[in-house]
Amino acid sequence: MERTLIIAKPDAIQRGLVGEIVKRFEQKGLKLIGLKMIQLDDVKLDGHYAEHIDKPFYADLAEYMKSSPVVVMAWEGYECINSVRIIVGSTNPRQADAGTIRGDFAIGQGRNLVHASDGKESGEREVAHFFGADELMTYDKSEYMHVYNQDER
Ligand code: IDP
Ligand code: MG
């Protein structure tokens, strides 16, 4: 099972799209294992976006990501990193397919509503960056037998 970190960014909070975003992953059949609302500060944000700190857009990105609280979520599922990136859509919402979160609800590249981990290693690292072990839930999801083949569970 892979884990991915999803962030409903400040534009999702301000536009009342948190429920819509959660719904997309719930209806896919993924398992929610952690969820909380937080206010990002420089330390937390720079750690999360370390690969982007030197990019020209980082100052704008940082200001935007701290402009209101965000909702961070950890989701789990078989090969879920790829599934979630498909559900989220391309970074530039104007290039994102209809049916994706960004394609359906966003326009500006710096206002693309949601963060999703881009690999198995980054998923583990990002979940650990935002959630303590005691904040991640372990439980059986009763619908798994109807969502996965036996060898995928
Ligand atoms: P991703 O969120 O699809 O993984 P990344 O390339 O990792 O995209 O970029 C992180 C975030 O930085 C994007 O989601 C977006 O909010 C912002 N960003 C990326 N490129 C640009 C840009 O060229 N202008 C403004 N913001 C950008
Ligand atoms: Mg990224």
Side-chain angles (χ1 to χ4, degrees):
M1 288 288 159
E2 292 178 352
R3 289 177 170 185
T4 184
L5 181 86
I6 301 294
I7 306 177
K9 296 178 176 181
D11 45 340
I13 309 295
Q14 296 294 341
R15 296 178 57 198
L17 290 170
V18 175
E20 179 67 39
I21 290 166
V22 172
K23 187 193 83 173
R24 301 269 172 140
F25 304 120
E26 278 190 318
Q27 71 188 11
K28 178 72 171 170
L30 300 176
K31 182 178 181 180
L32 182 63
I33 58 170
L35 182 146
K36 61 185 174 182
M37 191 174 206
I38 59 170
Q39 174 63 51
L40 289 167
D41 60 18
D42 287 322
V43 173
K44 211 66 188 168
L45 190 68
D46 291 356
H48 173 65
Y49 274 142
E51 63 180 322
H52 294 312
I53 282 180
D54 296 327
K55 304 248 174 85
F57 60 80
Y58 191 70
D60 283 344
L61 175 61
E63 186 184 347
Y64 151 62
M65 289 296 290
K66 293 183 292 180
S67 65
S68 79
V70 297
V71 171
V72 291
M73 296 166 248
W75 291 85
E76 193 177 83
Y78 182 69
E79 297 183 352
C80 73
I81 298 279
N82 188 51
S83 314
V84 163
R85 293 288 298 195
I86 291 169
I87 291 166
V88 165
S90 301
T91 304
N92 179 348
R94 299 186 299 283
Q95 304 293 332
D97 290 336
T100 65
I101 295 170
R102 289 167 171 172
D104 285 354
F105 297 106
I107 298 175
Q109 177 143 341
R111 301 289 183 273
N112 59 12
L113 293 170
V114 57
H115 167 83
S117 306
D118 64 4
K120 197 173 166 64
E121 181 277 328
S122 58
E124 292 293 332
R125 174 168 42 80
E126 291 174 359
V127 167
H129 184 65
F130 284 100
F131 291 94
D134 60 336
E135 295 176 310
L136 294 170
M137 303 298 127
T138 304
Y139 62 99
D140 291 328
K141 202 152 189 282
S142 60
E143 68 175 20
Y144 260 27
M145 62 180 295
H146 303 292
V147 173
Y148 292 109
N149 295 349
Q150 203 150 18
D151 61 333
E152 296 169 340
R153 268 176 244 154

